[in-house]
Amino acid sequence: MLRFSLFLFLWSLSYLAGAQKKPNILLIMADDMGYSDIGAYGGEIKTPHLDQLAKEGIRYRQFYNAARCCPTRASLLTGLYPHQAGMGWMAAADLGTGPAYKDNLNQDCVTIAEVLKTAGYHTYMTGKWHVTNERKIDGAVTDNWPRQRGFDRYFGIIPGGANYFAPVIYSDNQRYKAPGNFYLTNAISDTSVRFLNEHFNHAKQDPFFMYVAYTAPHWPLHALKEKIEQYKEAYKKGWDAVRAARFKRQKMIGLFAAGTACTPRDAAVPGWEQLTGKEKEEMSMRMAIYAAQIDIMDEGIGRIVQALKDNDALDNTLIFFLSDNGACAEFISSGKSKAVDGTEDTFESYRLPWANVSSTPFQQYKHFTHEGGIATPLIVHWPAGIAAKLNNRFIPDYGHITDIMATCVAVSGAQYPSEVQGHRIHPMEGKSLLPHFSGRTNNRGRIYWEHEANIALRDGKWKLVAKTPEDSVFAMESLQLYDMDADPTEINNLSHSNPERVKEMYADWERWARRIGAFPLDTREYGVRMQAYRRNINGNFEDNLGGWNIHQADEMKGTVVIDANSRISGRKSAYVQVQQPAAKPAALSMLWPFKAQQGEHFLLKMKARTSKNARFFVRLESTAPGAAKVIDKEVELKRGTESFEFASAAIPQNGMYRVGLYFGTAAPGSGIWIDDVELAAIKNNHVFSSQ
């Protein structure tokens, strides 16, 4: 190991000494794109620009992400396992089970941008961020947005998804509604080109790091009409034929050996001929739109590469292209229109049968740690740094997203820190890919996974893996063992014939899981986790008004804002000011919705302060019109700060409820501060706080 580290160090010095300057680094990520979708990995979708990068560079047969968007992005950016960066699950919720599941990129890690800035790099990002807690995004808490995590310029979306035609756009630390005639994929590509041209115009002597995180082809199925038309006929042959053709091409290009078997069609997918004519028409259209999304992304990548060529920078730019997880089998259908035509009013996904095609020849999908969930294409292009004899070759070694950070550090000459502003930084978990660029091995060693109790460990040719159903408990009996050299598609489970290897590998996985904070394993369904989080009210307003719904009627003159001057007990409080009241209390209100079950009781606590006597209403009520209120109190607030507690009646039936603070009839000139709002469940006369 010492000799290998010395070799890598000397190799890096040799490269840096011989190169004219440090390489630029361009990291491109697709969103929810399957392993076999692009031409360079066997797909029929037109991706000539990516295919050319592969032809002039190298490809990996076995390169891995972290099975889901947020964990992968956190791991990619930091060179750590997701849990170490605070993103053990999703940015949707703080699960309340420790630092690994805060689900907000933490301060115990550094991003590639933060590291490379110390080596003189200019840093740019376009596209999807998705490593900031969504409540903080809602409250515009910017301390963990791209500009605050090392990027000089940013354009894209901070949350995880958006309408392609009418998203809310984030530019640096500002957000605004997208203008007319907008398409997100093209905006990401065009802004990337603009950032590059501005860099070359003003700082061409300095290297750059650019992270382009496309949202394509993540749902919703939105694409430009003329591009969809090019694919309308392509998928009428059906998923069985498309999947077989992809696997045939994968063997022809040498991605898989001639003797490799393709996994059977997913048992949940019917044969194409079992569908009615109407069903065939609809399902072929879904895949046509998905293909169009990838095609448009590839065209944008072509424009980015052309900008590098135009500025004589392509040869010394290290380009990576990969996807954040395997194909997405999620069922999404929530638009105003249910037509499958790729237009703005639709919000659809391409569904499990086509995800099964995108995963060719693997089993499983996004969320899971079988190959279909974690295997990604990886194309690396760098004429000045990759041996020309390797062009259009496949790398036999496997690798992991944590290796990207290690590679960037190695080629840039940057020093990875052990401490930043008093925070101890986790050491890098990855290994540099540099040896692969000259045909050597980097002896990658063990790689680990955990997402929603779906676990895996890769060690040489051996892979231990388990899929855990939602709302169940992880079971040792679910562990499977595969020889990935002989069986890269995970068909022949060897766990029963190798029980000692399974036992040893699981013990090692468990040591890793405890080291990085993966326990307790959580298999709750997405919505259940979210509703548990909703009971943890943003009542100290650390996330500004994130999570609160503020309602103001047209006739009401008043405001609800954040006061950061510690008026009550925390750094922040909500400040409600009434200039002109209305006839109804609901004319100005703060609402916090959550799900409750019949028979539950709650204790609602809060603090309030006013500079003059004021009145307002506190309610805990169903969100259904005219439904019963289980708390309904008018508060008479005198000068100074007061604490309040309100015990609810029993919840009458299952459904959505809300905490409502109503200020519409407060006296004109009223100024009221609200803080320390807390909702606690009462069970057997005991109070169980969600805070």
Side-chain angles (χ1 to χ4, degrees):
M1 186 67 185
L2 181 60
R3 284 188 296 174
F4 175 73
S5 299
L6 181 60
F7 157 76
L8 186 57
F9 175 72
L10 293 174
W11 194 98
S12 302
L13 288 179
S14 174
Y15 166 75
L16 291 172
Q20 291 183 344
K21 61 178 183 177
K22 297 176 181 179
N24 304 309
I25 301 173
L26 174 60
L27 174 57
I28 307 173
M29 175 170 277
D31 194 354
D32 277 10
M33 192 191 78
Y35 182 80
S36 70
D37 284 325
I38 62 175
Y41 279 76
E44 71 293 327
I45 300 172
K46 297 180 181 67
T47 55
H49 301 100
L50 285 169
D51 298 349
Q52 188 67 24
L53 290 176
K55 184 178 180 180
E56 297 172 354
I58 56 176
R59 278 170 283 178
Y60 284 72
R61 288 189 177 92
Q62 299 179 76
F63 201 84
Y64 293 117
N65 51 48
R68 194 82 172 272
C69 39
C70 299
T72 288
R73 289 162 203 279
S75 192
L76 176 72
L77 281 165
T78 67
L80 305 175
Y81 286 106
H83 308 73
Q84 295 172 300
M87 196 60 66
W89 187 54
M90 298 287 288
D94 177 348
L95 298 184
T97 54
Y101 295 102
K102 288 289 184 183
D103 294 315
N104 188 59
L105 200 66
N106 63 33
Q107 298 298 316
D108 301 325
C109 63
V110 285
T111 68
I112 297 174
E114 288 171 323
V115 174
L116 294 192
K117 280 178 75 71
T118 67
Y121 278 70
H122 296 253
T123 56
Y124 311 98
M125 181 182 171
T126 58
K128 172 175 166 177
W129 180 240
H130 209 197
V131 287
T132 294
N133 180 277
E134 290 176 8
R135 190 177 292 180
K136 294 182 180 294
I137 299 171
D138 185 40
V141 180
T142 63
D143 59 355
N144 197 30
W145 290 16
R147 284 296 302 276
Q148 285 68 39
R149 295 311 301 253
F151 290 95
D152 298 327
R153 299 293 306 280
Y154 172 71
F155 171 89
I157 62 170
I158 300 293
N163 186 303
Y164 283 70
F165 297 105
V168 172
I169 287 297
Y170 297 74
S171 181
D172 294 332
N173 289 328
Q174 304 299 316
R175 59 184 174 191
Y176 57 90
K177 187 73 174 175
N181 197 28
F182 184 91
Y183 185 68
L184 183 55
T185 305
N186 283 341
I188 292 170
S189 300
D190 294 343
T191 306
S192 300
V193 170
R194 179 165 61 85
F195 283 173
L196 285 175
N197 286 333
E198 290 175 356
H199 173 84
F200 290 124
N201 285 336
H202 299 105
K204 189 169 185 177
Q205 71 282 2
D206 298 328
F208 71 79
F209 167 65
M210 175 175 280
Y211 174 35
V212 181
Y214 284 102
T215 59
H218 192 288
W219 47 259
L221 292 174
H222 283 168
L224 304 175
K225 183 178 180 181
E226 60 271 21
K227 187 61 70 175
I228 298 171
E229 289 293 323
Q230 297 176 22
Y231 289 95
K232 283 185 70 171
E233 299 299 318
Y235 297 103
K236 291 183 177 180
K237 65 185 72 172
W239 42 66
D240 295 316
V242 175
R243 192 166 189 255
R246 286 192 179 190
F247 189 49
K248 182 178 180 180
R249 280 192 295 272
Q250 287 175 329
K251 288 185 173 181
M252 287 177 58
I253 64 177
L255 188 57
F256 292 98
T260 304
C262 184
T263 57
R265 183 180 67 222
D266 191 305
V269 178
W272 183 254
E273 294 308 316
Q274 294 177 250
L275 274 62
T276 66
K278 184 177 180 181
E279 289 170 335
K280 289 179 180 178
E281 190 71 25
E282 177 193 320
M283 292 305 293
S284 63
M285 189 63 172
R286 290 183 187 276
M287 187 61 190
I289 301 168
Y290 176 87
Q293 290 176 297
I294 293 175
D295 188 319
I296 295 168
M297 175 182 68
D298 181 78
E299 288 182 343
I301 292 170
R303 294 197 294 276
I304 295 170
V305 170
Q306 187 62 48
L308 295 173
K309 290 180 180 178
D310 292 344
N311 289 281
D312 297 321
L314 181 61
D315 282 358
N316 200 32
T317 298
L318 170 57
I319 302 175
F320 299 96
F321 173 82
L322 71 164
S323 183
D324 65 342
N325 45 247
C328 176
E330 295 164 352
F331 184 100
I332 303 295
S333 182
S334 61
K336 295 177 184 177
S337 169
K338 297 301 178 184
V340 182
D341 58 11
T343 57
E344 179 179 336
D345 286 344
T346 63
F347 210 92
E348 298 286 327
S349 61
Y350 77 152
R351 309 286 169 81
L352 188 150
W354 290 116
N356 192 213
V357 172
S358 290
S359 286
T360 305
F362 303 130
Q363 61 171 300
Q364 297 305 325
Y365 317 97
K366 170 184 177 180
H367 297 255
F368 307 111
T369 52
H370 285 79
E371 294 292 285
I374 60 175
T376 174
L378 177 67
I379 297 170
V380 186
H381 182 276
W382 184 22
I386 297 175
K389 66 181 181 181
L390 298 177
N391 287 356
N392 205 28
R393 300 280 185 91
F394 290 102
I395 298 300
D397 288 3
Y398 58 88
H400 186 250
I401 43 172
T402 54
D403 302 340
I404 303 294
M405 167 70 93
T407 308
C408 290
V409 169
V411 302
S412 68
Q415 293 295 313
Y416 184 88
S418 59
E419 183 175 309
V420 174
Q421 295 181 349
H423 295 274
R424 292 187 63 186
I425 304 301
H426 294 293
M428 286 187 291
E429 295 283 350
K431 282 191 173 182
S432 172
L433 302 176
L434 273 177
H436 298 159
F437 300 172
S438 58
R440 297 179 174 85
T441 182
N442 70 346
N443 297 306
R444 182 56 182 87
R446 296 190 170 195
I447 302 171
Y448 306 82
W449 290 265
E450 188 281 325
H451 182 66
E452 297 179 340
N454 301 300
I455 78 166
L457 164 58
R458 180 72 191 264
D459 182 18
K461 71 175 185 176
W462 295 105
K463 182 181 175 187
L464 186 74
V465 61
K467 177 183 176 182
T468 305
E470 287 181 346
D471 297 322
S472 62
V473 177
F474 168 77
M476 290 284 290
E477 293 75 20
S478 66
L479 290 168
Q480 300 170 2
L481 180 69
Y482 296 100
D483 178 342
M484 300 302 291
D485 286 351
D487 180 24
T489 54
E490 299 174 308
I491 292 176
N492 185 22
N493 178 14
L494 303 175
S495 60
H496 296 298
S497 58
N498 290 268
E500 289 304 313
R501 185 177 297 278
V502 170
K503 182 178 179 181
E504 184 277 327
M505 290 182 72
Y506 177 75
D508 184 63
W509 177 88
E510 186 172 305
R511 285 190 294 271
W512 166 84
R514 296 195 182 282
R515 175 174 70 85
I516 58 97
F519 288 105
L521 300 182
D522 191 341
T523 63
R524 292 176 297 169
E525 187 265 338
Y526 192 105
V528 173
R529 299 178 194 225
M530 288 302 302
Q531 287 305 321
Y533 185 47
R534 288 299 305 172
R535 293 189 178 208
N536 182 5
I537 295 180
N538 172 25
N540 60 9
F541 303 98
E542 285 300 300
D543 296 331
N544 294 333
L545 291 171
W548 288 95
N549 297 329
I550 308 301
H551 172 75
Q552 183 174 354
D554 292 339
E555 69 275 13
M556 180 77 197
K557 290 185 178 180
T559 56
V560 181
V561 297
I562 291 297
D563 188 334
N565 293 319
S566 302
R567 296 288 180 171
I568 302 182
S569 57
R571 292 191 305 117
K572 301 177 182 179
S573 57
Y575 178 57
V576 183
Q577 188 171 37
V578 176
Q579 288 89 35
Q580 180 179 314
K584 295 181 179 180
L588 182 62
S589 56
M590 298 172 59
L591 307 173
W592 187 277
F594 68 99
K595 186 176 286 188
Q597 303 295 315
Q598 183 178 10
E600 286 191 292
H601 291 77
F602 294 94
L603 183 67
L604 179 61
K605 301 179 181 181
M606 60 181 298
K607 293 177 183 177
R609 178 181 177 86
T610 186
S611 55
K612 59 183 287 187
N613 293 353
R615 294 169 179 255
F616 65 97
F617 289 86
V618 178
R619 292 171 180 159
L620 180 55
E621 59 192 353
S622 170
T623 60
K629 300 174 177 60
V630 293
I631 295 176
D632 189 6
K633 298 290 185 181
E634 183 176 17
V635 172
E636 296 187 18
L637 184 62
K638 299 179 181 179
R639 290 188 180 186
T641 301
E642 297 185 54
S643 297
F644 301 93
E645 289 189 1
F646 308 96
S648 78
I651 296 295
Q653 60 186 22
N654 296 351
M656 290 300 299
Y657 288 76
R658 67 189 176 203
V659 172
L661 308 179
Y662 295 96
F663 306 96
T665 56
S670 295
I672 303 168
W673 288 268
I674 303 294
D675 201 356
D676 296 327
V677 184
E678 182 180 349
L679 183 70
I682 303 173
K683 297 179 182 179
N684 300 322
N685 295 320
H686 293 285
V687 177
F688 294 87
S689 174
S690 298
Q691 305 293 77

